Amino acid sequence: MDNKRIIIAIDGHSSCGKSTFAKAIAARLGYIFIDTGAMYRAVTLYAAENGAIVNGIVDEERVEAMLQDINIDFRFNPQRGASDIYVNGDLVEGKIRGIEVSNSVSAVSSIGAVRQKLVAMQQQMGRNGGVVMDGRDIGTVVFPNAELKIYMTADAMVRAERRYKELTAKGDSVTIEQIYENVVSRDKADMSRAISPLRKADDAVVLDNSHMSVEEQMSWFDEQYQRVING
Ligand code: DC
């Protein structure tokens, strides 16, 4: 039974370690890891670099018109043990996590045509199973039949502190207040948008990792995985 390759959907709030967790699970199971937030970030970066976001204001019509020019793909990077994201052949992995993209990504991801395009790509990528996909609508919209759905959350200040450490380690000059503000406003935007808002799927299991180590999260995951696999 253990070789059944399932779909694992991980949704939840911003900056609660979904990608780190998803990546570790994928490595453990030999599954593909897909960071869908990176796809929304890549579209946002492209829109910003091509004049569709000016002074933080997103021109939805222009973004929609641009979608046909945006070709996203993932290529495995053995050094990171995960895939890097490319837009029209350019590696953008290092550019999509900054505060500017973070501040506009919720607005871009609320555009129906953007979601339509990215959801279709995600469904295609996960169709054969053996994937861990993280995002906001994976268990509710992209793969409502996923065998294992996890809804992750953590205290907002704990999340802000984690993201702050990550960004300052990379040399970004940001303040903890800016990050906290971004985390809270993205939660609000993600949960209140009209199309595919972030919400826990009825059959998702909740993981609040505010005070959990990575090891504790992994042993929690093992229990959930065994429950599903042993049916
Ligand atoms: O996971 P992340 O913080 O990198 O995601 C960036 C943004 O993309 C997030 O604020 C909301 C949006 N997003 C989404 O709307 N749907 C997804 N499946 C993934 C991300």
Side-chain angles (χ1 to χ4, degrees):
M1 255 325 243
D2 228 51
N3 54 10
K4 185 175 168 206
R5 293 172 67 76
I6 64 170
I7 294 176
I8 300 175
I10 303 182
D11 292 303
H13 289 118
S14 298
S15 304
C16 61
K18 290 191 300 295
S19 296
T20 308
F21 181 64
K23 205 162 91 171
I25 292 171
R28 176 169 298 202
L29 300 177
Y31 280 18
I32 295 169
F33 157 58
I34 298 163
D35 173 0
T36 65
M39 299 167 75
Y40 289 93
R41 287 173 179 274
V43 171
T44 305
L45 178 73
Y46 184 92
E49 287 184 342
N50 290 278
I53 305 176
V54 178
N55 296 328
I57 309 289
V58 177
D59 183 334
E60 295 195 7
E61 277 175 24
R62 283 190 69 179
V63 175
E64 207 172 316
M66 264 170 198
L67 281 174
Q68 59 186 20
D69 305 325
I70 305 178
N71 190 8
I72 293 175
D73 69 299
F74 285 99
R75 300 180 201 168
F76 189 71
N77 176 345
Q79 277 175 333
R80 281 202 321 126
S83 296
D84 287 334
I85 190 162
Y86 288 74
V87 174
N88 298 339
D90 293 334
L91 175 64
V92 295
E93 189 62 44
K95 286 200 208 167
I96 57 171
R97 317 266 165 206
I99 193 84
E100 274 150 38
V101 168
S102 296
N103 281 338
S104 300
V105 66
S106 283
V108 170
S109 64
S110 70
I111 302 170
V114 171
R115 302 205 71 82
Q116 225 172 21
K117 174 177 168 123
L118 298 187
V119 167
M121 276 183 70
Q122 291 152 13
Q123 289 171 333
Q124 181 70 13
M125 291 188 281
R127 72 192 185 286
N128 295 327
V131 292
V132 185
M133 199 173 277
D134 93 67
R136 302 294 187 288
D137 60 343
I138 311 304
T140 51
V141 174
V142 182
F143 287 113
N145 297 325
E147 288 89 344
L148 176 54
K149 299 180 186 177
I150 297 171
Y151 187 82
M152 276 178 83
T153 187
D155 176 79
M157 190 43 101
V158 171
R159 289 186 276 141
E161 279 164 1
R162 289 179 188 158
R163 178 64 45 118
Y164 175 76
K165 278 190 201 143
E166 236 171 67
L167 289 176
T168 49
K170 277 201 318 188
D172 278 17
S173 78
V174 285
T175 64
I176 187 90
E177 289 77 17
Q178 274 177 314
I179 306 284
Y180 180 78
E181 174 68 22
N182 174 260
V183 161
V184 172
S185 70
R186 276 205 290 150
D187 284 354
K188 200 166 159 224
D190 294 344
M191 297 178 86
S192 62
R193 70 172 171 236
I195 314 168
S196 312
L198 168 65
R199 68 170 181 83
K200 182 183 109 47
D202 293 338
D203 50 351
V205 281
V206 176
L207 172 62
D208 180 334
N209 70 3
S210 305
H211 306 290
M212 283 171 91
S213 66
V214 173
E215 293 72 29
E216 285 167 334
Q217 292 176 59
M218 290 313 285
S219 67
W220 177 89
F221 169 76
D222 284 338
E223 278 173 35
Q224 302 302 323
Y225 177 71
Q226 288 308 326
R227 174 180 58 80
V228 169
I229 290 296
N230 298 324

